[in-house]
Every structure is written in structure tokens, then in C-alpha cells.
Amino acid sequence: NAGVTQTPKFRILKIGQSMTLQCTQDMNHNYMYWYRQDPGMGLKLIYYSVGAGITDKGEVPNGYNVSRSTTEDFPLRLELAAPSQTSVYFCASSVGLADRDTQYFGPGTRLTVL
Amino acid sequence: AQSVAQPEDQVNVAEGNPLTVKCTYSVSGNPYLFWYVQYPNRGLQFLLKYITGDNLVKGSYGFEAEFNKSQTSFHLKKPSALVSDSALYFCAVKPGANNLFFGTGTRLTVIP
């Protein structure tokens, strides 16, 4: 299994541009998550999904959108990029949403907005 | 409010010496506790977790963590540090079904 894969690895955007961060998992996990990691900070949850067709907001959803049309894919969209969205973005997945489930993370996408 | 604190931004230890990376938490109820490690340009890798049972949890790469309910702590430990253990370590707590709250991370440097 490849696990959780993310593309691209790096991206530079201009203010106001849009882009989609791709995330795919091949573990048949129902639950998927998007986090951002700012320098010197822990991860913050942006959005999560409990299954195809179902998404919900996390701690910091403003400026982002997600969709979950398949079990495998959970893309994150930035519509109007702002410098405050400069961060490293991690996608994760887990078998279930139960408290004890371990989340598996992708390698991250480093985004810079200038 | 839920929170996780890692009081040390940086921990330096000599190779072969024991290491401890500290974590304390403040959540309601009985949380589940996790440690993750992040190597440069990589995603987080799961090390270990505490759900219930023995307070001493053993995980990957020889790491272990001790859950202390009275002190609300979950410190990560290893008896003998390796240079390859140098990385960024994150403590996380899951007080409910959805969110996983992460600490700000501790950078561990093992000196040869």
C-alpha cells in the first residue's frame, strides 16, 4: 500500500489565485482529514470527512472547501489565496472516527502565498 | 478548553543517554493520548498511543510513554537515544470523536 499520498509537494501562489491540494489513500479508510501546520505550531484541523459525500468543518475552515466524491480522494480547495494560508498542509486518514483510532498522515504540501 | 502543552521547544541529549520529551494536557473526560514523530520533509508517523490499561505504553523504535492521570502528563521516553531519533515530536490528545489536538512540538537533537 502507498498509504496516504499528497500532491503537489510544493507550490507558490499569488494572492487571489486558487488551487486544489490533492489527497488520496489506498487503505479503504472511511475517515479523512485535512490539517495545516504553521511554523512552530501544532497541527490544526481544517476539514474532515466521515465517508463519501459527507464533510464537516474543523477548527480553522475559513478560506477552504473540500469534497469527498469517493472513499479514496479528499481534495482541499483554496479559492482566493491569502498570505495567511502560507503553511504546510497534511492530509490524514483513519479506519474509524472512534476515539482510539490512529490517523495515518501523508508527506505534506508546502504552500507559500506571496 | 482542550489543550496540549509541550513545555520544551528543544531537547538535546547525548547518544546512549536516556531521553524524555514532556507532554501535559488539559481536557474534559478521559482522553486518548498519542505521540507522533516527524522527520524532515515527511508527514507525521505514529509512535504510540494510550487508550486504557497499563500506564506504561510501549511503541515503535524502542519508545515508550508513561501516562500519569494525577499529573495529566504523557511523557515520551527512551532508555538509550540514537542519533537517528533526532526529529520533531508531537504529543496529541483526542478528547472526543472528531478532533485530534496537537501540541506545538519538541525538537529532539541527539548528539553523537
Side-chain angles (χ1 to χ4, degrees), chain A:
Chain A
N1 287 350
V4 180
T5 57
Q6 292 181 238
T7 57
K9 285 187 169 55
F10 305 94
R11 184 74 184 268
I12 298 175
L13 286 181
K14 294 182 179 178
I15 295 172
Q17 286 185 319
S18 62
M19 77 163 293
T20 299
L21 283 67
Q22 301 292 345
C23 175
T24 299
Q25 54 92 9
D26 62 359
M27 297 175 283
N28 202 33
H29 287 173
N30 285 325
Y31 303 94
M32 296 187 73
Y33 314 81
W34 273 107
Y35 292 90
R36 58 178 288 173
Q37 182 182 26
D38 298 328
M41 304 291 287
L43 277 70
K44 293 190 176 181
L45 182 65
I46 305 171
Y47 270 96
Y48 66 98
S49 169
V50 303
I54 306 170
T55 63
D56 208 346
K57 296 178 180 179
E59 186 182 359
V60 289
N62 291 345
Y64 306 94
N65 279 302
V66 293
S67 59
R68 185 94 183 271
S69 56
T70 66
T71 299
E72 295 79 18
D73 301 308
F74 190 40
L76 177 73
R77 183 147 180 93
L78 284 71
E79 292 293 349
L80 290 170
S84 60
Q85 293 178 305
T86 294
S87 189
V88 180
Y89 291 84
F90 289 101
C91 180
S93 71
S94 63
V95 172
L97 201 56
D99 293 354
R100 62 192 64 198
D101 274 350
T102 301
Q103 293 184 18
Y104 296 87
F105 287 81
T109 294
R110 186 175 296 274
L111 175 66
T112 302
V113 182
L114 300 175

Side-chain angles (χ1 to χ4, degrees), chain A residues 33 35 37 40-43 45 48 58-59 90 96-103 105-107 110, chain B residues 32 34 36 38 41-44 46 49 51 88 90 94-104:
Chain A
Y33 314 81
Y35 292 90
Q37 182 182 26
M41 304 291 287
L43 277 70
L45 182 65
Y48 66 98
E59 186 182 359
F90 289 101
L97 201 56
D99 293 354
R100 62 192 64 198
D101 274 350
T102 301
Q103 293 184 18
F105 287 81
R110 186 175 296 274
Chain B
Y32 299 120
F34 301 78
Y36 284 85
Q38 185 179 28
N41 300 314
R42 302 287 297 274
L44 277 73
F46 169 76
K49 63 183 177 184
I51 304 299
L88 193 55
F90 289 94
K94 203 167 187 185
N98 299 344
N99 281 2
L100 190 62
F101 289 88
F102 283 83
T104 53

Side-chain angles (χ1 to χ4, degrees), chain B:
Chain B
Q2 329 286 5
S3 67
V4 180
Q6 293 181 242
E8 301 158 316
D9 292 335
Q10 174 83 41
V11 169
N12 296 326
V13 64
E15 187 177 22
N17 282 2
L19 69 87
T20 299
V21 182
K22 295 179 181 177
C23 172
T24 59
Y25 63 91
S26 174
V27 300
S28 55
N30 295 316
Y32 299 120
L33 300 158
F34 301 78
W35 275 101
Y36 284 85
V37 59
Q38 185 179 28
Y39 297 100
N41 300 314
R42 302 287 297 274
L44 277 73
Q45 295 180 29
F46 169 76
L47 274 181
L48 53 80
K49 63 183 177 184
Y50 172 81
I51 304 299
T52 187
D54 288 340
N55 290 341
L56 187 65
V57 179
K58 293 188 184 297
S60 306
Y61 312 121
F63 283 93
E64 58 190 27
E66 186 171 10
F67 171 64
N68 188 318
K69 188 173 183 177
S70 63
Q71 297 184 2
T72 61
S73 67
F74 189 55
H75 301 331
L76 181 70
K77 300 181 179 183
K78 188 173 182 180
S80 178
L82 300 173
V83 173
S84 57
D85 293 331
S86 298
L88 193 55
Y89 290 81
F90 289 94
C91 179
V93 60
K94 203 167 187 185
N98 299 344
N99 281 2
L100 190 62
F101 289 88
F102 283 83
T104 53
T106 299
R107 184 166 301 282
L108 172 69
T109 300
V110 180
I111 303 163

